[in-house]
C-alpha cells in the first residue's frame, strides 16, 4: 500500500516546541517538513536546527505556505494571528492548521475562527493524551462533587521562560470544571488573590501559576470536601509528548472539512 505523503510547514523552528515538532516529524511515515517560518533574526538558527538543504526557511509566511499541505504553529500570539490570516488568504486554497500557541490575543482568536471557516484547524492548549484525559476526569469530578458543595482549584507549574499565565492548559482544566458544574467560567474564575480578599466564595474556581527552573509542565485539579480532598495531577517531563500529539493532529487534519477541532476529536474521544 502506498502512503500519501504530506508536506509540513513548521512555525518557529528555533523555539523549544518548533524544534521538538521537527524531531517528531522526522519519524513520521507520511509527513515531511518542507518549510519553516521564524522571525528574521531567528530564521538562520531554525535553518541550522533543520539541517536539510531542501527545506525552505524564511520569515515570509505567505511564501512558505505555498510549499505545504498543513502547518503546525507553536509560536506567539502575533505570529499565530499572521499565519492564520495568511493561511486563510492563500491563492491556491486555505491551508489546514494545527495550533498550540497559548496566551492568544482576541485578534489571534478571531483570525483562527476565520481560518476555520475555510480550512480544518486543530486548536489545543495541550496536545498530550494524558492532559486530554485529565480534562474529561476533571469535568466528571466537578459534576459529581458539585452537589456536595466541594471547592475546586487549579495550580500549574512551568519553567521560568514561559510568558503567559495562567497556562492555557490550566485555563482549559478550569473551564472543564466549570462545564461539569454548568457554570459560566467568566463569572466564577479567580486568577489572583492578594490582600484582604475575604472568605472563599462558594462556586469560585481559583487558578494559580508557579514559575521556576526548567519544569516542562505540571497541572493539578484540586477538589476539596469536608475532611477529604482529591488531586488529579498531570506531570509532563518532556515536550516530546506535545510535539508527537501535534504531529498526530497534523496527519489527521489534512482532508477534513473546514471547522475548528480539538485534541479529543483527533484522539477519537469527543
Ligand atoms: P519559544 O519561545 O521557545 O519559541 C517560540 C518560537 O516562535 C521561536 O522560534 C520564535 O522565534 C518564534 N516566533 C515568535 N514570534 C514570532 C513571529 N512574530 N514570527 C515568526 N516566528 C515567531 O516558545 P515555546 O516554549 O516553544 O512555546 C511556544 C508556544 O507554544 C507558547 O505559547 C507555549 O505556551 C505553547 N505551548 C503549547 C503546548 C501545547 O501542547 N499546546 C505545549 C508547549 C508549549
Amino acid at each position: 500500500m502506498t502512503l500519501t505523503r504530506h508536506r509540513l510547514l513548521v512555525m518557529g523552528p528555533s523555539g523549544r516546541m518548533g524544534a521538538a515538532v521537527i524531531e517528531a516529524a522526522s519519524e513520521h511515515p507520511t509527513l515531511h517538513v518542507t518549510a519553516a517560518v521564524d522571525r528574521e533574526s531567528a530564521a538562520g538558527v531554525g535553518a541550522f536546527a533543520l539541517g536539510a538543504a531542501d527545506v525552505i526557511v524564511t520569515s515570509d509566511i505567505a511564501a512558505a505556505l505555498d510549499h505545504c499541505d498543513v502547518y503546525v504553529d507553536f509560536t506567539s500570539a502575533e505570529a499565530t494571528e499572521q499565519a492564520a490570516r495568511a493561511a486563510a488568504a492563500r491563492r491556491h486554497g486555505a491551508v489546514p492548521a494545527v495550533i498550540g500557541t497559548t496566551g492568544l490575543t482576541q485578534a489571534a482568536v478571531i483570525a483562527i475562527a476565520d481560518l476555520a471557516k475555510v480550512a480544518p484547524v486543530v486548536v489545543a492548549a495541550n496536545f498530550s493524551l494524558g492532559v486530554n484525559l485529565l480534562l474529561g476526569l476533571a469535568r466528571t469530578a466537578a459534576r459529581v462533587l458539585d452537589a456536595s458543595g466541594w471547592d475546586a482549584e487549579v495550580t500549574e507549574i512551568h519553567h521560568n521562560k514561559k510568558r503567559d499565565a495562567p497556562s492555557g492548559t490550566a485555563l482549559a482544566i478550569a473551564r472543564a470544571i466549570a462545564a461539569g458544574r454548568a457554570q459560566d467560567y467568566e463569572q466564577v474564575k479567580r486568577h489572583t488573590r492578594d490582600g484582604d480578599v475575604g472568605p472563599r466564595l462558594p462556586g469560585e474556581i481559583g487558578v494559580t501559576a508557579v514559575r521556576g527552573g526548567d519544569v516542562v509542565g505540571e497541572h493539578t485539579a484540586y477538589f476539596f470536601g469536608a475532611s477529604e480532598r482529591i488531586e488529579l495531577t498531570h506531570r509532563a517531563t518532556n515536550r516530546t509528548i506535545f510535539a508527537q500529539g501535534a504531529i498526530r493532529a497534523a496527519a489527521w487534519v489534512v482532508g477534513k472539512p473546514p471547522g475548528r477541532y480539538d485534541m479529543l476529536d483527533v484522539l477519537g474521544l469527543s
Side-chain angles (χ1 to χ4, degrees):
M1 191 180 77
T2 314
L3 292 172
T4 309
R5 306 233 324 145
H6 295 298
R7 301 167 302 159
L8 175 67
L9 186 165
V10 178
M11 296 284 295
S14 69
R16 283 173 286 260
M17 278 306 301
V21 167
I22 290 166
E23 177 75 31
S26 70
E27 289 159 17
H28 196 274
T30 62
L31 291 171
H32 66 120
V33 179
T34 49
V37 173
D38 218 320
R39 289 173 300 188
E40 204 151 322
S41 56
V45 183
F48 181 74
L50 277 157
D54 58 347
V55 177
I56 296 161
V57 186
T58 174
S59 58
D60 183 343
I61 176 71
L65 284 167
D66 278 337
H67 300 274
C68 76
D69 302 306
V70 56
Y71 76 93
V72 173
D73 181 357
F74 290 87
T75 54
S76 63
E78 181 199 15
T80 294
E81 180 192 346
Q82 286 170 1
R85 293 249 169 266
R90 189 176 69 155
R91 280 171 301 155
H92 307 300
V95 185
V98 173
I99 300 174
T101 308
T102 61
L104 295 174
T105 56
Q106 194 56 26
V109 170
I110 291 169
I112 292 169
D114 288 344
L115 175 58
K117 288 175 192 157
V118 289
V121 183
V122 178
V123 185
N126 196 302
F127 280 90
S128 90
L129 171 62
V131 159
N132 282 283
L133 180 61
L134 176 62
L135 292 176
L137 295 173
R139 185 181 172 131
T140 302
R143 179 171 50 77
V144 172
L145 300 171
D146 188 38
S148 306
W150 287 42
D151 297 327
E153 298 271 319
V154 179
T155 62
E156 54 103 336
I157 312 176
H158 281 88
H159 56 88
N160 55 22
K161 305 280 187 305
K162 185 164 176 64
R163 295 178 56 164
D164 55 312
S167 71
T169 302
L171 294 174
I173 295 169
R175 287 204 171 90
I177 292 170
R181 294 166 159 184
Q183 293 173 313
D184 175 354
Y185 180 62
E186 294 305 317
Q187 301 298 318
V188 296
K189 70 179 183 185
R190 189 76 179 248
H191 290 184
T192 53
R193 291 193 180 97
D194 186 19
D196 184 6
V197 296
R200 190 182 193 285
L201 296 175
E204 73 179 10
I205 302 173
V207 184
T208 307
V210 179
R211 292 287 173 269
D214 59 356
V215 180
V216 172
E218 295 190 13
H219 294 86
T220 299
Y222 292 90
F223 297 92
F224 299 91
S227 310
E228 57 181 330
R229 176 164 98 212
I230 295 170
E231 298 176 10
L232 300 174
T233 297
H234 178 270
R235 293 193 179 92
T237 53
N238 193 312
R239 21 186 86 72
T240 311
I241 55 169
F242 310 128
Q244 283 172 345
I247 286 297
R248 181 169 173 169
W252 179 89
V253 78
V254 177
K256 291 286 180 296
R260 180 176 164 135
Y261 302 89
D262 61 24
M263 206 47 198
L264 295 178
D265 296 314
V266 176
L267 295 168
L269 298 174
S270 55

